Amino acid sequence: KEKHKILHRLLQNSSSPVDL
Amino acid sequence: EPHRKQASCSAQEENKVVTLLLGAEPEKVCAMPDPALPDSDIKALTTLCDLADRELVLNISWAKHIPGFSSLGLSDQMSLLQSAWMEILILRVAFRSLLCEDKLVFAEDYIMDAEQAESAGLLELHKAILQLVRRYRSMRLEREEFVTLKAIALANSDSMHIEDVEAVQGLQDSLHEALLDYECVHHSEDPRRTGKLIMTLPLLRQTSTKAVRHFCSIKQDGRVPMHKLFLELLDANV
C-alpha cells in the first residue's frame, strides 16, 4: 500500500462523506 | 426488517440511497486533445490516458459520497478502488454512449468510431465496450440504475485484500437493496430486472480486465505519457 500514495491522499482529503 | 422492506416498496417513498448517488455523480470532463499534436495512435492514447487520470480523481471523490463507503477502513476503501477503478471508468463510458450507435463517447468532445479505435490499436476494447453498451441499450438503462450499478461494481470488486469482509458485505447489501427497491417501484412489470442488471457485471469485469492489460502493455512500451494516479492504479492491478 506504500506505493499508492496519491490514492491514499485523495481518500484522506475530506469532502463531506455520507454515512448510513 | 420485513416491515421496513415492505414500506420501502412504494411509489411515495423516495429511495434515499439512489437520490444520494444521483447527487454524487461527477461533473462532465472534456478530453481536450492537444491541437498542436498531429493525429496519431500516440496522440489518441495520450488523450485517453489524460482523460482517464482526470476522471479517476473525480471518481475517488465520488466514491466517498456513496452512502457507507467512508465508514469503511481506509485500507478497504483503497482495496475496492484499486480493484474496480477501470470498471467504473468503462461503465461511465458505456452509459455516455447509449444514444450513440456504434461509437464510444469517451467525452463529449472525444467520440470514437471503430475506424478511429482501430488506428489507436483499441479495436478489441472498442468492440467489448460496445457489447456492454448494446446490453444496456436493449434494457433502456436509466440514470438511477446506472449510478446504483456503478456503486455496486465498486462494492463488489472482489479484492483479495479486504480486511473487514463483513463491513464490505454490509455496503454491498445496502446498495443491492437500494436497487431492489428502485426496481420494485419503477419496474414492477419486470421482476427480473434487478437480476438482469447484476448479470451485466461479469461482462463489465471481463472488459475491464482486458482494458487494464492493454494499458499495462502500453505503459511498458513507454511511448505514451501517463499521469501518476493512472500509473499508480495500473500498478495496483498487476
Side-chain angles (χ1 to χ4, degrees):
Chain A
K1 302 259 151 101
E2 272 296 297
K3 290 193 304 185
H4 305 296
K5 287 181 188 158
I6 303 173
L7 177 60
H8 190 270
R9 202 180 63 225
L10 288 170
L11 278 171
Q12 276 195 319
N13 286 348
S14 66
S15 75
S16 57
V18 184
D19 291 328
L20 272 183
Chain B
E1 177 75 0
H3 179 75
R4 198 175 71 81
K5 266 186 185 155
Q6 210 172 17
S8 67
C9 190
S10 77
Q12 282 80 33
E13 187 166 324
E14 195 188 12
N15 192 320
K16 200 179 161 198
V17 172
V18 174
T19 305
L20 286 168
L21 290 173
L22 285 171
E25 261 313 278
E27 66 226 56
K28 281 176 190 161
V29 183
C30 288
M32 299 178 288
D34 186 348
L37 291 176
D39 282 341
S40 69
D41 57 337
I42 302 292
K43 179 179 177 176
L45 294 169
T46 303
T47 305
L48 283 179
C49 290
D50 172 67
L51 179 65
D53 188 80
R54 285 183 285 125
E55 272 217 41
L56 283 170
V57 175
L58 297 177
N59 288 344
I60 291 163
S61 81
W62 158 79
K64 289 196 277 190
H65 288 82
I66 297 173
F69 182 82
S70 288
S71 316
L72 300 175
L74 189 58
S75 163
D76 285 344
Q77 294 180 29
M78 288 180 71
S79 296
L80 292 180
L81 281 162
Q82 283 165 349
S83 296
W85 63 278
M86 185 62 94
E87 289 184 43
I88 295 161
L89 287 177
I90 290 175
L91 196 46
R92 283 171 59 83
V93 173
F95 186 70
R96 281 196 292 262
S97 308
L98 283 177
L99 298 175
C100 216
E101 199 82 33
D102 298 329
K103 288 179 186 170
L104 291 183
V105 183
F106 287 104
E108 273 178 14
D109 62 343
Y110 209 66
I111 300 173
M112 201 180 260
D113 62 21
E115 200 181 320
Q116 291 164 310
E118 188 170 21
S119 52
L122 294 173
L123 188 58
E124 211 191 318
L125 205 54
H126 192 266
K127 280 183 187 164
I129 302 175
L130 278 179
Q131 190 188 349
L132 201 57
V133 174
R134 279 194 290 272
R135 269 288 283 267
Y136 291 133
R137 190 182 293 132
S138 73
M139 292 183 70
R140 296 173 183 270
L141 180 72
E142 292 161 12
R143 191 167 182 81
E144 288 83 354
E145 296 169 323
F146 156 67
V147 296
T148 313
L149 201 58
K150 190 154 55 80
I152 289 174
L154 175 63
N156 186 50
S157 68
D158 292 308
S159 164
M160 297 206 294
H161 309 290
I162 297 301
E163 289 171 1
D164 190 343
V165 173
E166 226 170 282
V168 172
Q169 181 67 58
L171 179 62
Q172 289 169 10
D173 289 347
S174 74
L175 294 166
H176 184 190
E177 196 177 310
L179 186 59
L180 285 168
D181 281 354
Y182 179 83
E183 299 305 341
C184 182
V185 172
H186 297 273
H187 289 282
S188 54
E189 82 289 350
D190 184 0
R192 295 188 188 86
R193 191 168 169 90
T194 304
K196 283 177 189 161
L197 287 168
I198 300 285
M199 279 190 251
T200 63
L201 293 178
L203 180 58
L204 177 63
R205 174 76 51 88
Q206 194 181 311
T207 309
S208 159
T209 304
K210 267 185 200 165
V212 168
R213 282 199 193 127
H214 191 72
F215 281 96
C216 278
S217 77
I218 291 169
K219 179 195 148 196
Q220 278 172 342
D221 281 350
R223 295 186 305 147
V224 176
M226 292 174 174
H227 295 293
K228 281 182 182 166
L229 180 60
F230 187 69
L231 284 171
E232 196 178 283
L233 289 167
L234 272 181
D235 284 340
N237 285 125
V238 176

